[in-house]
Amino acid sequence: MRGIAGRARVLILCAALCAVASALPALRPGARVPWADLALLAGACAVGEIPLRRLLGLIRGRPADRVPPAGTGSFFPVLLAAALVLPPPAAALAAIPGALVAPVDRTPVGVRRLWRAAALALAAWAASWATVLCGGLGTAPAFPRAVPVALASALTFCLVLTALDAAILATAERSPPVATWGGLLPRSLAPHLVHGLAAATAAVLWHSPYGPVSALFVLLPVYISSWVFAQYHHERGAHRATIRALVQAVDIKDEYTRGHSERVGRASMLIARELGMDEERLEVIRFAGILHDVGKLGVPTRVLRKDGPLTPDERRVIELHPEYGHEMVRGIGFLGEARAAILHHHERMDGNGYPYGLAGNQIPESARVVAVADAFDAMTSSRSYSRARPVSVAVGELERCAGTHFDPRMVSALVRALSRHGWQTEVTADEAHGRDSAAVPPSRSAPQPRATAPAAHNADGHGA
């Protein structure tokens, strides 16, 4: 357990001992354990974790060890079925084989498997006790009696498992335990309850004339859907890793705007949410904000970091960065309309922007969102060539330029969002002295600067 915090080690050992204690009564002489049922359920958990992954690897023509892991939760319907048809000690035993053979992506592998086996065994044990306390399913279970019992069992399973996960995160990563549990529970509750309904169907069939095999066939579609859902999350994780790599490359090259991309992504999300965009589109808009300056990777570093005024030729080079960025991300399918935002985020409503001089509604909506977010963060962050303006002054500047430079609808959406959430003004790498990082609520009555062009373009260096 090297590299693991002392408190985390104690928690893992305690959980493992408690899991052993919960399963031990099943191994005592004379214990009434339905070993055939236990073996079938435990085997279903284990077999579902390994051979399915290998089979899919062969179908895809990829080595088995390169197939993305199914992720914890793919065999939860089987565990919940075990909690409904087995006594508590046997239910704890049924959870262990699947947890021990499940793929683990991070080290230390052995410790993580031990923890997961202990946590799942305790959750299955508690869920089985919930079944007992609810009166069980009886020798001839039937609907609708099985439904509330199964839901109570699934709820107990979810509460115990998320509490244990929150505890290990709190001890290993020093995260607030209550807040961590509060974040895990809402995300886990609905899937566990759905798995509980599937387990109720399986439990009824288990004791029917059709027998256990028919019950496992009922669980198979649920297992496959869980696996597909896990792959979806795995793919989303890969997308985020791609975004992070691109942003880090930009931040390394242009140190004066470090952190700017993430803040523009956050401001773009605020605007998009205010406009009522759905969750899927919100994510794409956030990607657009984060990656809007990725084309800087094609601009010479000496131009990006130049402190003095730019020559006309240098300005023209910087103004190519939207096209560079679009070319870089053109083949990344999951970005969707974010690619158009990267290309057009420097267009203006009056048609005097670049690279193509689009005007009004010719400019993609995502680009109009990012343009306002980009300008706002540029004005409220200090750079080597400009000092940060107060949020209220930046809002006044955006409102002054609405209709000519920016889409008034996007400006109004940002103002409404800021009035509710405020804005976390953050220190960028080039500031000599720390400044207050508290959230500053904007004022609609802020004085409006007299500048003839918005300071927003400072986000891309020297007014570009």
Side-chain angles (χ1 to χ4, degrees):
M1 292 191 179
R2 291 180 181 177
I4 300 177
R7 292 188 301 172
R9 292 184 211 174
V10 172
L11 179 60
I12 292 169
L13 289 174
C14 287
L17 290 173
C18 289
V20 170
S22 67
L24 204 55
L27 303 177
R28 290 175 180 169
R32 295 184 177 181
V33 177
W35 288 107
D37 292 347
L38 171 58
L40 191 58
L41 288 164
C45 290
V47 169
E49 279 301 309
I50 300 302
L52 179 59
R53 295 176 65 242
R54 289 180 181 166
L55 175 62
L56 289 171
L58 292 173
I59 292 172
R60 295 177 180 181
R62 297 164 60 185
D65 60 352
R66 292 183 61 195
V67 177
T72 301
S74 54
F75 56 90
F76 281 2
V78 181
L79 288 184
L80 291 171
L84 292 173
V85 302
L86 297 175
L93 279 177
I96 295 173
L100 290 178
V101 301
V104 178
D105 290 335
R106 297 169 59 190
T107 56
V109 173
V111 175
R112 289 181 182 277
R113 282 192 171 137
L114 174 64
W115 166 255
R116 207 60 191 160
L120 288 173
L122 289 172
W125 177 82
S128 183
W129 270 113
T131 301
V132 172
L133 294 175
C134 288
L137 298 181
T139 56
F143 291 107
R145 169 173 168 71
V147 173
V149 176
L151 290 178
S153 178
L155 177 61
T156 303
F157 184 92
C158 179
L159 291 173
V160 172
L161 189 59
T162 53
L164 288 170
D165 284 343
I168 195 65
L169 287 173
T171 54
E173 301 178 9
R174 297 186 180 275
S175 57
V178 176
T180 303
W181 191 42
L184 291 173
L185 185 59
R187 294 198 304 269
S188 305
L189 187 57
H192 281 91
L193 293 179
V194 172
H195 290 162
L197 294 175
T201 305
V204 170
L205 285 173
W206 196 277
H207 295 287
S208 74
Y210 300 103
V213 175
S214 65
L216 293 181
F217 273 115
V218 168
L219 293 175
L220 182 61
V222 180
Y223 171 81
I224 293 174
S225 65
S226 298
W227 187 89
V228 171
F229 189 65
Q231 300 315 296
Y232 167 73
H233 280 283
H234 180 83
E235 187 175 329
R236 283 171 63 90
H239 293 171
R240 292 191 181 98
T242 301
I243 300 296
R244 281 196 300 271
L246 289 171
V247 170
Q248 285 172 359
V250 175
D251 285 348
I252 290 170
K253 183 160 188 175
D254 188 7
E255 62 184 10
Y256 291 138
T257 57
R258 188 160 298 164
H260 169 67
S261 298
E262 293 289 346
R263 293 193 298 272
V264 173
R266 178 151 43 93
S268 298
M269 281 266 293
L270 289 175
I271 296 171
R273 186 173 283 115
E274 202 65 38
L275 294 174
M277 295 184 185
D278 59 51
E279 288 299 320
E280 185 174 347
R281 197 175 179 205
L282 282 176
E283 184 79 349
V284 173
I285 295 295
R286 187 175 75 87
F287 287 159
I290 291 173
L291 291 177
H292 73 286
D293 275 343
V294 69
K296 285 182 175 181
L297 293 173
V299 177
T301 305
R302 62 175 179 79
V303 176
L304 286 176
R305 298 188 180 185
K306 185 176 180 180
D307 290 331
L310 296 177
T311 66
D313 286 342
E314 289 170 336
R315 182 175 294 278
R316 280 192 291 271
V317 169
I318 282 189
E319 289 182 355
L320 289 173
H321 81 270
E323 293 175 278
Y324 290 155
H326 182 261
E327 189 64 26
M328 290 175 186
V329 302
R330 187 171 58 179
I332 305 179
F334 71 83
L335 288 178
E337 65 178 314
R339 291 171 291 186
I342 291 168
L343 179 60
H344 297 294
H345 71 279
H346 277 297
E347 305 284 4
R348 292 173 47 132
M349 294 296 288
D350 59 10
N352 291 323
Y354 62 89
Y356 299 131
L358 302 184
N361 289 334
Q362 293 178 325
I363 307 170
E365 185 178 41
S366 57
R368 285 178 270 147
V369 170
V370 173
V372 172
D374 184 24
F376 174 73
D377 184 69
M379 288 187 284
T380 55
S381 302
S382 288
R383 307 283 185 250
S384 62
Y385 39 78
S386 67
R387 294 191 61 80
R389 298 185 181 194
V391 170
S392 57
V393 173
V395 167
E397 179 75 357
L398 290 174
E399 292 178 326
R400 185 184 69 81
C401 296
T404 55
H405 195 122
F406 306 112
D407 186 335
R409 193 163 66 99
M410 308 306 170
V411 173
S412 297
L414 178 64
V415 171
R416 291 195 303 271
L418 291 174
S419 67
R420 275 204 290 271
H421 306 292
W423 182 251
Q424 192 75 15
T425 55
E426 298 179 11
V427 178
T428 51
D430 59 308
E431 288 192 63
H433 303 287
R435 55 187 170 86
D436 186 8
S437 60
V440 184
S443 170
R444 294 298 300 270
S445 60
Q448 298 181 354
R450 296 187 181 183
T452 56
H457 276 346
N458 286 343
D460 288 311
H462 309 282

